[in-house]
Amino acid sequence: MKKQLLASVLMAFCFLLPSAAQQKIKVGGTEREYKIYVPKNLGEKRPLLISCHGMNQDAAYQMNMLDIKSVADTAKFVTVFPEGISKSWDLDGNRDINFMLAIIDKMVDEYDIDRGRVYLSGFSMGGMFTYHAMNKIADRIAAFAPISGYPMGGATAKASVRPIPIIHTHGTSDDVVTFSNVKKNLNVWIQHNGCPETATVTKKYRGASHITRHVWGPGNDGVEVVLMEMANKGHWISNDNGVKTGDEIWRFCSRYSIEVSGPVEKPQLQPDQRFTSVSELQGKKFAIVNETEGMAIYGSDAQNLGYDDYTTAFDDNNSGYLFKLVQSGVSGGYLLRLITPDNAEYSIWGKPGYLNAQPLSTGWCCFILGLTKGNGEDMENGAVWNIDYEEGKGFSLKNVGTGKYLKNAGNANNDEPTYFTFCTLSAASTTAISSIQAANKPTNVIYDLQGRPRGTDPSALPKGIYVIDGKKVVK
């Protein structure tokens, strides 16, 4: 009882004091870090902004460049600055998508964040990641705000993704991620969102001679796509002439929210039909699990192999967690092709994705890679496996290339076999949030010029300037 009371007091104390600290969280077996800024007297059900740094930068640098503390202090929202692995972001898979989702969950637990008002932004490579997330977690992020970054291969918009609000900020003199390609990337989302092809243009926006603001909208569900064109600004976050990028991001994003449904029953996958011979595996899709440890082998993201608990492994945000047998050119050897959560055969960089071990002389882990015999891909038959079943124990995986056994996501370099269960999966119900329904229309909440909500009745407001349905109104 005393411990519970102390915990409650400490949490209340956290809500009263501003903080900007380095924090840690475990995601898929990997310890990740982030910085967080929490305003004094935060309150309940407040928004969250996640801001991702550029390549070869870090969270502290992003926090200083965005300079959003004063905005957060006034509007009362939490800002998280994640640390990318090797100071970069995963632009292909789900490694960092899962990191963002874990951050959201932790912020809800620790600061009672409103799940319906979570916003994602990023600078340079962080902006590229923001675009990547648009196709991945638009059901978890209410609005997106890339800065000086877009997909270098061109933006795409999945048909299944809801119309999403976007504010993109970019300097015209950017010589790293050039301004000339911004519009063609935004066009993808302008069309996807059903926005007008012609923008409403405001020059000298808010009195700043270097800013031209382009607005395409409203589109479907009332969303807008906005481009903040910063004349003669380079590859940095602009905070000049009284207009701060972080402030503009907040002004735009705070107009949008999504509705969260739950808690509801979410199925948790568990081992079901267990196979007992290689012949039974023919034409089947199966999981590879270690039931003794409660762990499973899976494709975590891009080319990376994972080995984690069932909840982490059997997550639809992963590259895949089922495999199928493919005959190899080696007598008695098989390839293990990864299957995506969408039940498709996984490919990476345009090539079929197989479970691959590296040679013992150079290897330190296993991957999901192709068969080009380069960069560890099937060197010395690293993708070929001898698979045997022993009654009462399970299947062993001996790599033809290394001549040794697989134990986990590390390299196949073990002298003794580890026995796995090859099985189908079935659902066991657990209570968790499983779906989010989007409601993209700007809310009927009235905001002052600092982004603070002031109710929904204009007649009850004192004289001043307010934002109503995205427009300034003088009362």
Side-chain angles (χ1 to χ4, degrees):
M1 185 66 181
K2 288 182 179 179
K3 288 183 179 179
Q4 291 177 340
L5 179 61
L6 178 59
S8 299
V9 171
L10 289 174
M11 180 172 286
F13 188 66
C14 289
F15 285 138
L16 293 174
L17 297 177
S19 64
Q22 191 85 0
Q23 305 284 341
K24 295 182 179 181
I25 185 173
K26 198 165 187 179
V27 184
T30 301
E31 190 171 78
R32 303 297 299 269
E33 296 186 354
Y34 60 90
K35 282 190 173 294
I36 180 173
Y37 182 75
V38 183
K40 180 180 171 182
N41 298 319
L42 176 64
E44 299 177 350
K45 301 299 180 186
R46 301 306 303 153
L48 168 65
L49 172 66
I50 302 174
S51 179
C52 300
H53 61 73
M55 187 174 183
N56 293 326
Q57 297 173 353
D58 58 20
Y61 187 79
Q62 181 69 8
M63 178 183 283
N64 291 333
M65 281 208 307
L66 193 62
D67 191 21
I68 203 170
K69 290 182 181 179
S70 61
V71 181
D73 285 340
T74 302
K76 302 301 181 188
F77 61 89
V78 172
T79 314
V80 169
F81 302 88
E83 298 277 10
I85 292 177
S86 300
K87 298 187 176 181
S88 67
W89 300 103
D90 173 19
L91 304 181
D92 298 306
N94 296 302
R95 182 192 68 199
D96 292 322
I97 293 295
N98 291 336
F99 185 20
M100 301 302 115
L101 296 176
I103 287 172
I104 294 170
D105 289 343
K106 189 172 183 183
M107 293 304 102
V108 171
D109 290 342
E110 294 189 352
Y111 298 102
D112 193 27
I113 288 301
D114 182 352
R115 286 186 183 273
R117 291 189 290 165
V118 178
Y119 312 111
L120 179 63
S121 181
F123 170 71
S124 190
M125 192 180 191
M128 299 174 193
F129 174 71
T130 302
Y131 274 93
H132 175 59
M134 293 175 191
N135 280 314
K136 291 284 189 177
I137 48 174
D139 59 348
R140 303 297 179 97
I141 305 295
F144 296 82
I147 308 167
S148 304
Y150 50 72
M152 301 306 286
T156 59
K158 290 183 178 180
S160 59
V161 174
R162 67 179 177 90
I164 57 174
I166 301 168
I167 180 170
H168 183 119
T169 306
H170 216 113
T172 61
S173 297
D174 191 327
D175 59 354
V176 178
V177 184
T178 60
F179 181 79
S180 61
N181 289 323
V182 173
K183 181 58 165 51
K184 74 176 185 180
N185 282 279
L186 286 178
N187 281 343
V188 172
W189 287 101
I190 291 169
Q191 181 178 4
H192 176 84
N193 289 343
C195 294
E197 293 182 4
T198 302
T200 300
V201 180
T202 303
K203 295 184 178 181
K204 297 183 179 179
Y205 174 73
R206 292 180 59 194
S209 60
H210 69 293
I211 302 178
T212 300
R213 191 173 192 261
H214 309 256
V215 181
W216 291 269
N220 297 331
D221 294 340
V223 305
E224 292 179 344
V225 175
V226 173
L227 170 61
M228 299 290 287
E229 177 184 345
M230 306 293 192
N232 302 316
K233 301 300 178 183
H235 195 64
W236 59 77
I237 296 179
S238 176
N239 293 313
D240 299 329
N241 298 330
V243 180
K244 298 175 68 173
T245 294
D247 184 25
E248 289 303 312
I249 288 173
W250 169 248
R251 287 168 181 263
F252 176 83
C253 290
S254 62
R255 297 165 46 209
Y256 296 94
S257 65
I258 55 177
E259 294 179 1
V260 179
S261 65
V264 296
E265 290 296 308
K266 177 184 177 182
Q268 172 62 59
L269 296 177
Q270 300 283 349
D272 188 15
Q273 178 188 355
R274 292 155 174 84
F275 298 106
T276 57
S277 69
V278 173
S279 62
E280 286 183 328
L281 299 173
Q282 304 296 330
K284 304 290 178 57
K285 295 168 184 175
F286 52 88
I288 301 176
V289 305
N290 185 328
E291 291 193 84
T292 302
E293 297 182 355
M295 307 281 274
I297 289 174
Y298 65 103
S300 61
D301 59 79
Q303 80 275 21
N304 295 315
L305 192 70
Y307 182 72
D308 277 296
D309 60 85
Y310 297 161
T311 300
T312 302
F314 304 147
D315 187 326
D316 285 351
N317 285 314
N318 293 323
S319 299
Y321 44 79
L322 297 177
F323 294 85
K324 63 175 284 189
L325 283 187
V326 178
Q327 292 285 348
S328 75
V330 177
S331 178
Y334 294 93
L335 304 174
L336 286 165
R337 181 75 182 269
L338 182 67
I339 304 298
T340 72
D342 296 328
N343 205 34
E345 294 182 349
Y346 182 69
S347 294
I348 179 167
W349 304 320
K351 296 172 291 187
Y354 299 99
L355 177 56
N356 241 295
Q358 293 178 307
L360 288 179
S361 59
T362 59
W364 53 272
C365 66
C366 286
F367 296 95
I368 300 294
L369 289 173
L371 302 175
T372 61
K373 300 184 184 296
N375 298 320
E377 304 178 37
D378 194 33
M379 293 175 64
E380 300 179 15
N381 292 318
V384 182
W385 302 87
N386 291 139
I387 303 174
D388 294 305
Y389 180 80
E390 186 170 338
E391 186 69 33
K393 292 185 177 181
F395 289 93
S396 61
L397 288 164
K398 187 175 184 179
N399 188 259
V400 172
T402 67
K404 293 180 181 292
Y405 292 96
L406 183 71
K407 181 178 181 180
N408 46 40
N411 199 31
N413 60 3
N414 300 280
D415 294 326
E416 298 297 326
T418 295
Y419 292 99
F420 297 96
T421 299
F422 287 14
C423 60
T424 61
L425 300 173
S426 63
S429 295
T430 59
T431 301
I433 293 173
S434 68
S435 64
I436 296 179
Q437 298 174 345
N440 304 296
K441 292 183 180 179
T443 66
N444 61 352
V445 176
I446 300 169
Y447 295 89
D448 61 21
L449 293 184
Q450 285 71 48
R452 295 174 297 193
R454 299 299 298 269
T456 58
D457 184 5
S459 65
L461 298 172
K463 291 182 178 180
I465 302 176
Y466 300 92
V467 178
I468 302 177
D469 288 336
K471 299 179 180 179
K472 288 184 181 179
V473 176
V474 179
K475 183 183 179 189

